[in-house]
Amino acid sequence: MGGLPRIRSRRTLVLVAMALQLVLLLVAWTVAFRHVRGRITEAVQRYIVDRNAEFVDELAGRFPPPMGDDDEPDFGSEAWDEWQRVIESAGNDLPGGGFACLLDEDGHILCHPEIRDDPSWRDVNLGRELLEAAMPGESDDGGVRLAEAQDSTISGRIDFVADGTHYVATRTVPGTNLRLLVHQPEAALFGRANELTGVVVTSGAIAAGAVVLLGGLGLLGVIRSYDSSFERMNRVYKDNLEIARQIQESTLPERVPTLRGFDVSAWSASADETGGDTYDVVALCRTADAASGLGVADDGRADALVCVLADATGHGVGAALAISAFRSMVRMGLRAGIDLPALVKQVNGQLLSDLPAGRFVTGWLGFVDPAAGGVLSFAAGQGPVLVRRADGRVERFDADAVPFGIMDEIDVKAGRFIELDEGDAVVVASDGIHEARGTDGTLFGLERLVALVSEAGGGSADELIGRVRAAVDSFTGMAPADDDRTVVVVKRV
């Protein structure tokens, strides 16, 4: 019996649990991140548009006033240099590759962060493209054209033909016809955002890994605690089983009583620490005190014997308790000096009262009477009872009544007297013998048992049991028994 269920691979269990945690965390993180990222993207877009509008207003106020009547400084002049420095300094306040530029009245670039090194920027005209680009605003069609809002601050997104989408804010420089543009390329902004997202994702992965690791360590601690508790409980369980086994073994007779003219032997082996089979051989002597004229002999004298074989449903502790109760009832009845029919009725009634539904005991009682020259046999659900004659013939008798503990009434008159001549033997075996399974899954079977008993020859009762045991072990390949096995043999010598 294996006892309590045990976790056999801590490492596997912890790894599986950690993997499941990681998958769940990743799924939850991915779903949440996608949802939040969409909301954040919308919020960031609105923020950039608003921030660009504020910044272009603030930047327009940094330009020095125009000199004289001309509101456009000449390219390369000292005045232009001051305006160019304002444009160059704007890049320090714009993240993600943003820049500012200044357009002259015709739409050509007048100031640009790279125009000192590359004067060809003077040849670029953005006026026509910008004047034709629709910007988000307050108009009926959802856009505002720059040509219609020369004195207003406009901020939004523009799709440039060559450069892709930019966040652009624009307004005229106060006191001039020059147009100030603040550009922030969307690709650069979102490249920076992706870098930040990578930091967030990495941080989330590290946090998830930490959670999984801590969960795994916690689970490992729980498993170790379980193992420790399991070991303690299993020790207690095994100690209790050992006590039960010792008590059950103590109920078996230390030696089989001898009776003149008969050779009696018995053997039993449990499938678990405790078993659901038992046997007993009780010596009786003639006494005037017993109603039946026979009482239990405690001094070794034997005028008759009562042989018992019993098999409770199932095996293990529950069956052991039932079978121990059965054996005690039989012993108590014999000590009270009652006869076999009365004993059968009392045991059946008590088991019917004590055993839960679905539980019962099959049993065989054999009263060995030398004076009568045979055995008074009563089998309650226990069968068949085999009688081997001296010439090798084997007679089979089925059970005489239903098992003990099933019905209120049990037919005690159904028992039979088996007369035994010299060399004849009565053989009774529990179903653990003929239901033993071979290496190919087949059953040992009653026919094989009958043939074995028939071929037993003139050996002793103990030798016959030995042959049965050896045959079953050979048939099963010495595999652990599925059920308890018990054999009782009564032979006339």
Side-chain angles (χ1 to χ4, degrees):
M1 181 174 290
L4 299 174
R6 184 172 187 177
I7 298 171
R8 300 194 178 277
S9 177
R10 288 196 298 263
R11 180 180 299 177
T12 300
L13 181 61
V14 170
L15 290 177
V16 170
M18 291 176 68
L20 288 175
Q21 288 183 63
L22 186 59
V23 169
L24 292 174
L25 283 172
L26 288 177
V27 170
W29 176 263
T30 302
V31 172
F33 180 76
R34 287 182 175 179
H35 176 73
V36 171
R37 184 176 63 178
R39 296 295 183 87
I40 290 178
T41 299
E42 295 175 2
V44 167
Q45 289 175 344
R46 290 194 298 269
Y47 173 79
I48 293 174
V49 169
D50 294 343
R51 181 70 184 89
N52 280 352
E54 295 174 2
F55 183 71
V56 77
D57 287 340
E58 187 269 332
L59 184 62
R62 295 184 192 178
F63 290 97
M67 298 178 180
D69 297 332
D70 191 0
D71 63 353
E72 179 180 325
D74 294 330
F75 179 77
S77 66
E78 182 178 348
W80 174 88
D81 187 66
E82 291 184 19
W83 287 53
Q84 174 67 17
R85 281 199 297 268
V86 172
I87 292 297
E88 291 173 349
S89 67
N92 298 327
D93 300 320
L94 293 172
F99 65 95
C101 66
L102 192 63
L103 305 182
D104 62 18
E105 191 172 2
D106 297 327
H108 289 87
I109 294 179
L110 177 63
C111 296
H112 188 278
E114 300 177 7
I115 204 168
R116 293 183 192 273
D117 299 326
D118 187 4
S120 64
W121 281 102
R122 281 288 294 149
D123 299 329
V124 177
N125 190 312
L126 297 178
R128 181 175 182 181
E129 186 172 2
L130 287 173
L131 291 174
E132 292 177 354
M135 304 278 289
E138 302 297 332
S139 67
D140 294 337
D141 61 356
V144 173
R145 294 187 182 277
L146 297 181
E148 301 169 359
Q150 293 293 324
D151 298 325
S152 302
T153 298
I154 305 174
S155 183
R157 298 169 66 210
I158 291 182
D159 292 326
F160 285 95
V161 174
D163 255 343
T165 301
H166 284 226
Y167 287 89
V168 175
T170 181
R171 64 157 296 160
T172 56
V173 177
T176 73
N177 290 321
L178 305 180
R179 180 160 292 280
L180 176 62
L181 298 179
V182 172
H183 290 248
Q184 294 199 71
E186 188 177 59
L189 281 172
F190 279 91
R192 177 58 178 163
N194 288 335
E195 292 178 8
L196 296 175
T197 300
V199 173
V200 173
V201 171
T202 302
S203 301
I206 293 173
V211 170
V212 170
L213 180 60
L214 291 174
L217 292 175
L219 179 60
L220 186 60
V222 170
I223 294 174
R224 286 178 175 171
S225 176
Y226 174 88
D227 274 351
S228 177
S229 300
F230 169 85
E231 293 297 339
R232 288 195 302 271
M233 295 174 67
N234 227 24
R235 282 197 298 270
V236 173
Y237 181 77
K238 288 181 177 179
D239 289 345
N240 290 337
L241 277 182
E242 178 61 21
I243 293 172
R245 185 190 64 79
Q246 292 174 1
I247 292 174
Q248 187 176 28
E249 286 186 353
S250 70
T251 64
L252 299 177
E254 294 182 4
R255 62 181 182 83
V256 175
T258 59
L259 180 65
R260 185 178 178 84
F262 288 88
D263 179 16
V264 180
S265 182
W267 164 82
S268 184
S270 301
D272 297 325
E273 288 85 348
T274 56
D277 282 11
T278 194
Y279 72 86
D280 201 358
V281 182
V282 184
L284 301 180
C285 64
R286 302 199 178 277
T287 174
D289 298 333
S292 63
L294 292 171
V296 175
D298 294 321
D299 56 3
R301 294 181 299 113
D303 296 321
L305 296 178
V306 172
C307 298
V308 179
L309 183 148
D311 181 2
T313 49
H315 47 89
V317 177
L321 291 173
I323 213 67
S324 296
F326 176 85
R327 183 260 182 192
S328 297
M329 293 176 195
V330 171
R331 280 266 180 170
M332 289 297 294
L334 293 176
R335 285 194 174 277
I338 61 177
D339 57 16
L340 190 60
L343 177 63
V344 168
K345 286 186 176 182
Q346 287 194 9
V347 170
N348 180 68
Q350 193 62 49
L351 287 177
L352 186 65
S353 174
D354 292 347
L355 295 181
R359 292 280 184 170
F360 55 86
V361 175
T362 63
W364 174 75
L365 298 175
F367 177 65
V368 185
D369 187 1
V375 178
L376 177 59
S377 171
F378 181 81
Q382 180 66 51
V385 176
L386 305 181
V387 180
R388 182 193 185 279
R389 299 302 179 180
D391 59 5
R393 290 179 301 109
V394 176
E395 300 172 9
R396 295 168 54 171
F397 299 104
D398 293 330
D400 302 309
V402 297
F404 293 102
I406 291 182
M407 301 177 63
D408 292 331
E409 296 295 331
I410 190 166
D411 187 5
V412 296
K413 295 180 181 180
R416 72 189 71 245
F417 180 78
I418 303 173
E419 184 175 352
L420 297 178
D421 294 327
E422 183 178 338
D424 294 346
V426 175
V427 180
V428 186
S430 66
D431 56 8
I433 296 293
H434 55 79
E435 291 181 359
R437 290 194 176 274
T439 54
D440 60 354
T442 59
L443 297 180
F444 188 78
L446 286 171
E447 296 304 325
R448 189 175 278 106
L449 177 61
V450 170
L452 182 64
V453 170
S454 176
E455 298 166 1
S460 66
D462 195 52
E463 289 172 345
L464 194 155
I465 290 178
R467 293 190 62 174
V468 173
R469 293 175 60 183
V472 173
D473 287 341
S474 176
F475 182 78
T476 61
M478 300 296 294
D482 294 328
D483 197 2
D484 310 314
R485 300 170 183 171
T486 305
V487 183
V488 175
V489 175
V490 179
K491 184 173 183 180
R492 180 78 181 270
V493 297

